[in-house]
Amino acid sequence: MQIQSSAPPNPPTSPLNWVQKNLFSTWYNSILTIICLTVIIWGLSNFISWALTAAQWGVVGVNLRLFFVGRFPPELYWRVWTALGLIIGLAGICWGYIVRNSPLFSRTILIVLGVTIAAIILLPLELSARLWILAIAIIAIVGYAVGRKLPTSISPWLTPAWGLVFVVNFWLIGGGLGLTSVPTNVWSGLLLTLLTAICGIVLSFPFGVLLALGRQSPLPIVRILSILYIEVVRGLPLIGILFLAQVMLPLFLPPNFRNLDRVLRAIAGLVLFSAAYLAENIRGGLQAIPRGQYEAAKALGLSSPLVVLLIVLPQALKAVIPAIVGQFIGLFKDTSLLALFGLLELTGISRSILAQPQFLGRYAEVYLFIGLLYWLFCYGMSTASRYLERKLNVSN
């Protein structure tokens, strides 16, 4: 008879016992706990006192539109709201599909609904903006309900759907093909930050995979060129890469393409920089795959490309999900360097707001607000990464 091993059951612990066991277990642990609590309470009390009495949050409320969409033409805001609605609607469908076997109202769903209702009520927005948020919330709920009813055969179509939404959103924001064109010099604020970050992440990923495979290629020229690119780019600071992309990249292009848009040049710099680091992260995953996996796939008659695509690469990417997401989070925050090149992304538009005479010296309020925005998106990516790790059982 086979005996199944299982972890010993944890005895029930009261909050008081947990505090005594973890915070006051020894005399030095007690002293450390008291010192840390004193510093935390002192710091929080000072911050709350400043935030409630001395801070002038009017600079955030008055310039909320500039923070989010910058100088985008007001009469074309409907296109930005529509693009946001498409993203939220598809996200709702995907979320409903993923948790279709879970209870209808989970803690996450209730938190999202609470935050949406609070945003509609508390944020100093115009009536049209409140109605747009309400409509997008309804789209998200409908998408969530539809996603829970979708069959499992729809799974292969979700990734192409995200690609289609990305193209449609780029068309909505940039215009053309029947819509009024919006020049990229008025793309600014959080809108520009998200566009550059998403383009950088999406484009650098396949480039990084190819570099990682190239570095392990048996072909000497491919391997040497991949190593050369990775080591050169990793030896340069990002600000240098962005400077080269802004100034020197047009020199390597045909004459008809030398007036390349500044935003595209910035995205090219981010992609070139991020791909080198992604390649090293993925190479770590490739090296973790046992040699027996290759030999077993070869014994089954698979060709070398199929061995890489079907056997090796999925396992390697699964093993390095935390490192890849960490790279994406770093790339998202690195977009703040674009402000040094005259692009008014979130940090650049904040500097413009601080230059307004009525808001001189309001650095703390402005930078705390944009810091909160950066944190929200980074925490969202981190949460999605942890969920994906649990779903794929990465620890095993």
Side-chain angles (χ1 to χ4, degrees):
M1 183 178 68
Q2 184 179 4
I3 300 176
Q4 295 183 350
S5 61
S6 60
N10 294 321
T13 305
S14 66
L16 184 61
N17 290 336
W18 184 92
V19 169
Q20 186 176 10
K21 179 181 178 181
N22 294 279
L23 302 179
F24 297 97
S25 56
T26 60
W27 65 268
Y28 51 85
N29 195 5
S30 301
I31 293 175
L32 185 63
T33 300
I34 292 171
I35 292 174
C36 291
L37 286 176
T38 303
V39 172
I40 291 172
I41 292 172
W42 175 77
L44 279 178
S45 62
N46 285 339
F47 175 77
I48 293 172
S49 174
W50 170 82
L52 296 179
T53 60
Q56 298 181 18
W57 297 107
V59 62
V60 175
V62 172
N63 296 290
L64 208 54
R65 182 182 298 177
L66 284 177
F67 280 116
F68 286 119
V69 293
R71 297 180 297 165
F72 202 84
E75 67 274 13
L76 301 179
Y77 281 173
W78 66 270
R79 284 156 56 169
V80 180
W81 284 115
T82 305
L84 183 62
L86 288 174
I87 294 174
I88 298 295
L90 184 57
I93 291 174
C94 293
W95 184 255
Y97 176 78
I98 292 172
V99 299
R100 60 188 180 281
N101 296 324
S102 303
L104 182 61
F105 290 104
S106 63
R107 185 180 60 180
T108 306
I109 298 297
L110 294 176
I111 291 174
V112 171
L113 285 176
V115 170
T116 305
I117 294 172
I120 295 174
I121 296 174
L122 299 177
L123 287 179
L125 301 172
E126 299 173 353
L127 177 61
S128 61
R130 295 176 193 272
L131 292 177
W132 272 109
I133 294 177
L134 181 62
I136 290 173
I138 293 173
I139 291 173
I141 294 172
V142 171
Y144 176 75
V146 170
R148 292 178 64 87
K149 302 295 183 184
L150 290 177
T152 55
S153 58
I154 202 71
S155 177
W157 296 98
L158 292 179
T159 302
W162 277 109
L164 180 62
V165 165
F166 178 76
V167 174
V168 172
N169 283 351
F170 208 81
W171 169 62
L172 284 171
I173 293 170
L177 299 177
L179 292 179
T180 305
S181 295
V182 180
T184 56
N185 58 359
V186 299
W187 297 7
S188 44
L190 181 63
L191 176 67
L192 181 59
T193 296
L194 292 178
L195 278 174
T196 52
I198 291 173
C199 290
I201 289 170
V202 171
L203 297 177
S204 65
F205 181 73
F207 192 21
V209 171
L210 290 177
L211 283 172
L213 295 175
R215 183 157 189 168
Q216 292 201 324
S217 172
L219 302 176
I221 294 182
V222 175
R223 186 174 64 252
I224 291 172
L225 288 177
S226 299
I227 293 173
L228 187 64
Y229 175 85
I230 291 170
E231 297 304 331
V232 168
V233 172
R234 290 177 73 205
L236 296 173
L238 175 57
I239 193 169
I241 299 288
L242 291 174
F243 178 79
L244 291 173
Q246 290 291 332
V247 178
M248 298 189 65
L249 182 60
L251 302 179
F252 296 94
L253 298 177
N256 294 334
F257 295 95
R258 287 186 179 171
N259 293 324
L260 194 64
D261 189 84
R262 285 194 311 157
V263 174
L264 293 180
R265 279 181 272 172
I267 292 173
L270 292 173
V271 171
L272 293 174
F273 182 81
S274 180
Y277 285 87
L278 267 176
E280 286 303 273
N281 291 333
I282 295 171
R283 187 170 69 91
L286 292 173
Q287 290 180 335
I289 305 302
R291 187 68 190 168
Q293 296 279 333
Y294 295 87
E295 296 171 352
K298 288 284 188 183
L300 291 175
L302 295 179
S303 61
S304 296
L306 289 180
V307 171
V308 172
L309 289 176
L310 301 180
I311 305 296
V312 177
L313 202 54
Q315 297 183 74
L317 293 177
K318 176 184 171 184
V320 294
I321 286 176
I324 292 176
V325 175
Q327 179 63 32
F328 289 163
I329 290 175
L331 178 63
F332 178 75
K333 292 185 291 185
D334 286 341
T335 57
S336 60
L337 288 176
L338 300 181
L340 300 175
F341 301 92
L343 295 175
L344 298 180
E345 44 70 61
L346 197 52
T347 307
I349 203 70
S350 301
R351 294 167 62 184
S352 301
I353 292 170
L354 288 170
Q356 299 175 18
Q358 65 271 34
F359 299 125
L360 290 176
R362 301 269 65 87
Y363 296 99
E365 294 87 345
V366 169
Y367 286 122
L368 272 174
F369 178 69
I370 67 169
L372 176 64
L373 292 179
Y374 277 115
W375 177 81
L376 284 175
F377 285 98
C378 293
Y379 183 72
M381 285 190 277
S382 178
T383 303
S385 168
R386 291 200 300 272
Y387 179 81
L388 192 60
E389 290 172 34
R390 287 198 303 272
K391 194 76 176 176
L392 298 176
N393 200 13
V394 171
S395 59
N396 293 325

